[in-house]
Amino acid sequence: MSALYRWLFVAGVLVLLLGLFQKWFQEKWYLTEPLTALALGIAAGPAGLQLLNLPPAADSPRVLTQVSRVTLAVADMGVALRLPRGYPVEHWRSLAVILGAGMVLMGLVSGLLVWSLLGVSFWVAMLVGATVTSTDPIVATTIVTGPVAKRNIPGRLRHFISAESGANDGAVYPLVLLPILVLARPTSEALSRWITYVVGWQVGGAIVLGATLGYAAAGLFQWADLGNVVERQGFVAYTLALTFAVLGGARLLTVDAILASFVAGIAYRMAPGRQQPSTERNVQKAMTKFFVLPTFVLVGVAIPWAGWAALGWRGLLLAVLVLVVRRPPVVVALARWLHPLQTRKDVGFAAWFGPIGVSTLFYAMLAVQRTGSRRIWSIASLLIVASLVAHGLTATPLSKRLPPDPAERR
């Protein structure tokens, strides 16, 4: 019980301090909030003051999976509410390119790097590559929101990165499940189940569930508001309740809960009457911070130092190469089809800022549970921390070097 209260104390103090000094952090402190939370987790964890610890080794993957799933669902709903109304529909071609060819190429490049450097089997390498494919919506949000971002990053670029980061957390699910199935079943059986159950039911069902619940929730809100049947204060945490409803429904139906949450947010925004849901956005933003910062503390506590040591210099080389090769060449190659990226600086910024974070934590823990290989977490956690450091330290300086387009400011 004392361990729980230690977690509550650290999480509460962290959210309080970063909330009070948020503007100062964004303008003066070159470390992003996730990186600051990670550093606190390392300092308070087993490698530091030993104030915080994880559950027994057998339970840790399950705990981390559930915590990261809820965190991603809340964060993706927040991203969906922040986007301009109808943005994914208006820019569906560009999003289809980056979520389709872009994710496949990024996963393949990352997997081949793992395979060539670390000597793991091909499908385990592809699994690790898939877990680090998606752009994390939480770290991306810290880069494209706040006063520094709004002054310096054009709206077209902020919205594109946000939309990609929100959508690809769920869209990468089939890429992660394919190697998991191939490792566990005969190839033909694995492909058949992947097409019918994973793509057909889990992904397709997530889209239908999210769209239905999001649109229905917006309609119910409008009916109650126009009918004056409840007090306005009753709707303050409405979208948070929607997030949990979608998350619970998706888990009961065994569909992709992360994708369903993002789709529900988009459907909620596009429904009639939901023009500028500023209250919902503010509540969702506050709750995202409440969930996100403790999750990054958890990542710091969970770092497998012995596993990192076993990777040696090859692990460090892998981290550098993944940062340099995983995303930048792919975005540059596909830039002509990514219409929101209108200038070379747009392309360069989007190519670099595809951070790895909680989405990788979720999929890595899912992979550990399904395969029993804890080495997957050793590799994935190293790439998470490398990304948090590299992108966290460069976010503010590079944002300030990107001149804004006044016509795109929102």
Side-chain angles (χ1 to χ4, degrees), residues 41-308:
I42 294 173
L49 300 175
Q50 299 182 358
L51 297 176
L52 302 176
N53 290 287
L54 288 173
D59 296 329
S60 293
R62 186 172 68 252
V63 171
L64 291 170
T65 300
Q66 300 305 328
V67 170
S68 56
R69 178 184 280 119
V70 173
T71 301
L72 282 176
V74 173
D76 282 341
M77 178 68 75
V79 170
L81 295 176
R82 191 174 68 243
L83 287 172
R85 191 168 186 261
Y87 183 90
V89 176
E90 181 181 352
H91 297 278
W92 71 267
R93 292 181 178 86
S94 298
L95 291 174
V97 170
I98 196 65
L99 297 176
M103 285 203 307
V104 170
L105 289 173
M106 284 185 265
L108 183 62
V109 168
S110 302
L112 290 176
L113 287 172
V114 174
W115 185 48
S116 61
L117 284 174
L118 300 184
V120 299
S121 70
F122 176 78
W123 283 108
V124 169
M126 291 298 106
L127 176 54
V128 175
T131 66
V132 300
T133 295
S134 60
T135 296
D136 187 69
I138 297 162
V139 183
T141 293
T142 65
I143 295 170
V144 300
T145 61
V148 174
K150 289 182 179 179
R151 281 199 305 266
N152 296 280
I153 305 175
R156 62 176 184 271
L157 184 54
R158 290 187 280 114
H159 298 325
F160 178 75
I161 293 176
S162 293
E164 179 201 355
S165 68
N168 65 10
D169 290 324
V172 78
Y173 182 78
L175 293 183
V176 175
L177 264 290
L178 179 59
I180 288 177
L181 289 172
V182 171
L183 287 168
R185 303 166 182 259
T187 303
S188 59
E189 181 184 344
L191 289 175
S192 175
R193 183 167 178 80
W194 184 75
I195 293 172
T196 58
Y197 182 68
V198 175
V199 177
W201 172 249
Q202 294 191 296
V203 174
I207 294 173
V208 172
L209 176 68
T212 301
L213 291 181
Y215 196 86
L220 184 62
F221 184 105
Q222 186 179 27
W223 170 81
D225 192 28
L226 292 177
N228 196 28
V229 296
V230 295
E231 292 186 1
R232 188 77 183 180
Q233 292 85 344
F235 288 122
V236 170
Y238 192 69
T239 56
L240 184 65
L242 173 61
T243 304
F244 290 138
V246 173
L247 184 61
R251 294 300 295 154
L252 290 173
L253 294 173
T254 67
V255 299
D256 184 354
I258 308 305
L259 180 59
S261 297
F262 181 73
V263 173
I266 295 299
Y268 183 84
R269 282 285 283 123
M270 293 184 65
R274 310 309 306 144
Q275 297 293 331
Q276 294 294 333
S278 56
T279 302
E280 292 98 322
R281 281 201 302 263
N282 291 336
V283 171
Q284 200 75 21
K285 181 179 179 181
M287 294 310 300
T288 298
K289 187 184 294 292
F290 180 80
F291 281 99
V292 163
L293 297 178
T295 300
F296 279 102
V297 173
L298 192 63
V299 173
V301 173
I303 289 177
W305 300 101
W308 284 13

